[in-house]
Amino acid sequence: ANRNSSFSHGVRGMVRMRDTSTITAPSASRHQPRTIARVGFIRALIVLHRVYGRRPLRDRVHTLVRFLTCPMLRVLDAVPHSASLLDIGAGHGVFATLVRARDARRVVGIEPDVRKVRPIAGVESVIGFDDVVGGTFDAISIIDVLYKIPIADWDALLIRCRERLAVDGILIIKEQDPTARIKNAWNALQERIATALHLTLGESFTYESPAAFLARITRLGFVDAHSKRIDFGYPHPHVLYVAKRH
């Protein structure tokens, strides 16, 4: 996001930016997730346990709750096989870990909150914002991140994503559907609690209807944009957006 945004101000003091294209956490030598052809629910739990089982209790609880309340495996279905992925706002790296455990060629996870960044074997963990990474990727994922960034900064971020995608690369965004009033009310309460406990960065709390967001990414030059509700069995109104760079 734009460093002048409230999101950036909230973490500027926590992030040390460098001139290099990436800032990578030290490599991990143990608990590397095994490559698996198909990530099922139980297998995913096993993979996550191997990666996070020795972390502090706070991190273990956070990552488990994050996995159980977000349909990451349904988002994973949108990631091309054997692809290179840039995960923006990776948090503790749960989604990046699952992508890497399937069959990804390369996974880079960017996260500005230094409290959440730890070495994960097979994942290049980068401390900072999206503009510290160069090169192109087959896919870019942004999972539950945009709502914490001021809406005035969305276009700039999405344009940078488009520029970092290879031709026919896939943009994958998971957000909440504000038109689902009951589920969105529960989501709003949970997010306010998380913000009060300082579990997430950023001061904004903004969502856009699926129709409006599809219009936005189409206006910014993405093609084949479509949305899909993926919240069956979950208390939150999860919606998945997928679009392509032409």
Side-chain angles (χ1 to χ4, degrees):
N2 191 310
R3 292 195 189 91
N4 293 325
S5 69
S6 59
F7 175 77
S8 300
H9 283 299
V11 297
R12 182 177 297 171
M14 304 177 64
V15 179
R16 182 176 63 182
M17 305 297 288
R18 299 180 183 175
D19 293 331
T20 54
S21 60
T22 61
I23 307 170
T24 306
S27 60
S29 59
R30 301 180 62 188
H31 309 297
Q32 179 173 359
R34 296 179 181 176
T35 301
I36 46 182
R38 182 181 302 171
V39 179
F41 183 80
I42 300 301
R43 177 66 71 178
L45 286 175
I46 294 172
V47 167
L48 295 177
H49 175 71
R50 290 183 180 134
V51 173
Y52 299 99
R54 295 178 181 268
R55 298 279 184 92
L57 177 61
R58 178 188 176 101
D59 289 356
R60 297 200 307 271
V61 171
H62 190 112
T63 54
L64 178 61
V65 171
R66 178 75 175 130
F67 175 71
L68 294 177
T69 59
C70 177
M72 292 192 180
L73 298 183
R74 298 173 188 176
V75 180
L76 181 62
D77 289 339
V79 179
H81 287 272
S82 302
S84 59
L85 174 78
L86 175 63
D87 187 26
I88 297 176
H92 289 89
V94 174
F95 185 68
T97 295
L98 295 175
V99 175
R100 179 65 184 89
R102 191 182 65 175
D103 61 357
R105 186 174 75 257
R106 180 191 182 200
V107 178
V108 178
I110 300 175
E111 173 56 44
D113 190 344
V114 298
R115 300 171 301 174
K116 297 180 178 180
V117 180
R118 298 289 185 275
I120 299 174
V123 175
E124 299 172 46
S125 299
V126 181
I127 300 172
F129 298 96
D130 65 284
D131 56 359
V132 302
V133 173
T136 59
F137 295 83
D138 300 320
I140 294 177
S141 58
I142 308 176
I143 302 178
D144 295 324
V145 171
L146 283 180
Y147 78 101
K148 297 296 274 185
I149 301 174
I151 196 168
D153 297 330
W154 287 12
D155 282 5
L157 172 60
L158 294 169
I159 289 172
R160 291 196 299 273
C161 289
R162 187 192 66 201
E163 294 172 348
R164 287 173 175 80
L165 282 171
V167 176
D168 292 329
I170 302 296
L171 176 67
I172 301 165
I173 296 177
K174 207 290 290 177
E175 278 294 341
Q176 310 289 336
D177 183 355
T179 65
R181 295 184 179 181
I182 296 177
K183 285 191 172 184
N184 195 56
W186 165 248
N187 173 65
L189 175 62
Q190 178 179 310
E191 288 298 335
R192 289 189 177 92
I193 293 174
T195 299
L197 295 175
H198 304 290
L199 298 178
T200 59
L201 299 179
E203 300 173 4
S204 296
F205 193 82
T206 307
Y207 295 106
E208 203 167 45
S209 71
F213 190 73
L214 288 175
R216 177 186 295 272
I217 56 180
T218 299
R219 171 175 56 80
L220 295 176
F222 290 94
V223 298
D224 298 335
H226 58 277
S227 65
K228 177 183 180 182
R229 285 281 293 270
I230 55 172
D231 59 336
F232 180 77
Y234 289 87
H236 306 86
H238 302 290
V239 60
L240 178 67
Y241 300 97
V242 178
K244 182 184 295 185
R245 175 182 178 174
H246 183 62

